[in-house]
């Protein structure tokens, strides 16, 4: 990073940190902007004294995100319907964490891919747990530096990350174990588009969970829908109603948060995003995002 401004790659890195912590594109962008503003608030004499500007900015942006988590959680308590993280169409900024020599047990798969389900699972973490986990496991920050962000000792942050890892391990392991994902996603799209209830039920785990986020702008189920046949009938009903509204609906298989997902468009405008969790060839979780405020195309 030059003394003047972050490079595009450095901005992507900062956004990647903020998005993984907050699960919100808008909030992540605000955090990055605030961090850069604080860099510019330094005097011309102070900036040259910062030996690693991007490391300094990473700590500052992380601290802004830590402070934002509490207010974000409060806003979600009054959110209309179910809240889901904002999807990113395309790839995510990859972590810069060195992988060589690291214990695989001390890392979560939040690098190039971040499933919506994993971000939902991370909502169960305390702010300190979430920040400690992401900064250490994803971005390779030593625990003493994590402690400076979180305001805790290195040992305490190590424990926070360990606790967080255990809480999200099941969801993370499910995502990492996906095989034949592309084929299952394609079959899911074909079954929905063709109105094939039996084919759709066969793709779904008996205990599949569907969650939808319309944000009060688009009518959706306000609670989780559970069970293969119930979810299948719900999905086909949603697709049928949408097809009645427009003849220009096009659904395609595209990268969503860095992995295969489904994007629905009406006259080129994104109106829905589907993110699927797949275990053993069956879909175990479905995240449906139709809140227009969360469907900006931010291509990675």
């Amino acid at each position: 990073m030059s003394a003047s401004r972050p490079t595009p790659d450095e901005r992507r890195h900062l956004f990647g940190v903020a998005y993984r912590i907050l699960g919100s594109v808008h909030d992540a962008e605000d955090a990055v902007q605030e961090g850069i503003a604080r860099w510019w608030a330094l005097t011309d004499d102070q900036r040259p004294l910062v030996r690693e500007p991007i490391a300094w900015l990473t700590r500052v942006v992380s601290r802004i995100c830590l402070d934002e988590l509490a207010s974000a959680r409060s806003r979600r308590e009054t959110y209309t319907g179910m809240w889901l993280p904002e999807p990113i169409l395309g790839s995510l900024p990859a972590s810069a964490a060195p992988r060589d020599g690291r214990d695989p047990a001390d890392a979560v798969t939040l690098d190039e891919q971040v499933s919506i389900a994993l971000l939902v699972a991370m909502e169960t973490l305390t702010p300190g747990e979430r920040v400690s986990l992401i900064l250490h496991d994803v971005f390779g920050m030593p625990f003493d530096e994590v402690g400076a962000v979180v305001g805790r000792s290195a040992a305490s942050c190590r424990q926070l990350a360990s606790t967080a890892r255990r809480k999200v391990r099941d969801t993370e392991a499910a995502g990492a174990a996906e095989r034949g994902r592309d084929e299952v996603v394609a079959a899911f799209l074909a079954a929905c588009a063709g109105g094939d209830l039996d084919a759709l039920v066969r793709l779904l785990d008996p205990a599949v969970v569907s969650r939808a986020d319309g944000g009060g702008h688009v009518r959706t189920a306000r609670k989780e829908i559970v069970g293969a046949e119930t979810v299948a009938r719900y999905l086909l009903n949603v697709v049928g109603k949408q097809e009645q509204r427009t003849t220009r609906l096009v659904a395609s298989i595209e990268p969503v948060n860095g992995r295969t997902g489904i994007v629905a468009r009406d006259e080129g405008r994104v109106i829905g995003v589907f993110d699927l969790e797949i275990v053993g060839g069956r879909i175990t979780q479905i995240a449906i995002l139709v809140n227009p405020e969360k469907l900006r195309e931010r291509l990675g």
Side-chain angles (χ1 to χ4, degrees):
M1 174 175 163
S2 68
S4 57
R5 66 187 72 250
T7 66
D9 283 346
E10 288 166 340
R11 277 181 174 268
R12 281 173 55 81
H13 162 79
L14 294 172
F15 174 82
V17 172
Y19 175 75
R20 287 165 174 84
I21 294 175
L22 297 173
S24 164
V25 173
H26 179 269
D27 291 345
E29 290 173 341
D30 283 351
V32 172
Q33 286 300 112
E34 174 63 21
I36 294 173
R38 294 187 188 183
W39 169 257
W40 281 109
L42 298 176
T43 66
D44 291 341
D45 291 333
Q46 289 173 323
R47 279 194 294 275
L49 299 178
V50 179
R51 289 187 298 176
E52 298 182 37
I54 191 60
W56 183 91
L57 272 169
T58 298
R59 291 191 294 270
V60 169
V61 168
S62 298
R63 182 68 213 185
I64 292 168
C65 291
L66 180 66
D67 294 339
E68 171 64 19
L69 279 175
S71 59
R73 190 158 293 180
S74 177
R75 290 196 304 271
R76 287 163 196 170
E77 290 176 355
T78 60
Y79 191 79
T80 302
M82 283 182 287
W83 179 91
L84 292 175
E86 291 178 59
I88 293 178
L89 305 189
S91 62
L92 273 77
S95 72
R99 296 291 177 183
D100 295 340
R102 297 177 65 203
D103 185 348
D106 289 341
V108 294
T109 54
L110 278 162
D111 40 22
E112 290 79 10
Q113 304 182 68
V114 183
S115 74
I116 298 298
L118 185 52
L119 287 174
V120 169
M122 293 183 72
E123 288 294 303
T124 65
L125 306 181
T126 67
E129 288 171 346
R130 187 162 182 163
V131 172
S132 296
L133 177 74
I134 291 169
L135 291 184
H136 177 264
D137 285 26
V138 183
F139 293 96
M141 186 179 289
F143 279 118
D144 57 344
E145 294 183 25
V146 175
V149 173
V150 178
R152 306 279 286 271
S153 68
S156 177
C157 289
R158 184 185 300 277
Q159 183 59 48
L160 288 173
S162 178
T163 300
R165 213 175 288 127
R166 287 196 301 270
K167 289 181 179 179
V168 303
R169 184 65 72 189
D170 288 346
T171 302
E172 177 214 359
E178 290 180 0
R179 293 182 181 179
R181 177 178 180 83
D182 292 357
E183 292 79 4
V184 174
V185 173
F188 174 84
L189 176 56
C192 288
D196 192 332
L197 177 64
D198 291 339
L200 189 53
V201 169
R202 287 194 296 271
L203 289 168
L204 302 178
D205 185 87
V208 63
V209 177
S210 175
R211 304 178 181 91
D213 179 347
H217 301 283
V218 177
R219 187 174 180 180
T220 60
R222 294 204 174 193
K223 296 182 180 180
E224 295 178 350
I225 298 176
V226 181
E229 185 161 346
T230 304
V231 169
R233 291 187 183 278
Y234 167 72
L235 291 171
L236 294 184
N237 182 54
V238 169
V239 172
K241 287 183 176 179
Q242 186 59 45
E243 288 177 340
Q244 291 174 5
R245 296 189 188 102
T246 177
T247 59
R248 297 179 176 85
L249 178 66
V250 176
S252 58
I253 296 174
E254 303 178 26
V256 174
N257 281 36
R259 63 183 199 162
T260 309
I262 296 171
V263 179
R265 291 182 172 83
D266 182 5
E267 296 186 332
R269 177 175 59 90
V270 177
I271 61 170
V273 171
F274 292 72
D275 186 59
L276 311 177
E277 288 297 299
I278 301 166
V279 179
R282 287 195 172 185
I283 299 165
T284 59
Q285 296 188 56
I286 303 171
I288 306 170
L289 293 112
V290 290
N291 180 351
E293 293 183 350
K294 295 185 176 183
L295 296 179
R296 294 172 295 162
E297 292 197 62
R298 190 188 194 286
L299 298 177

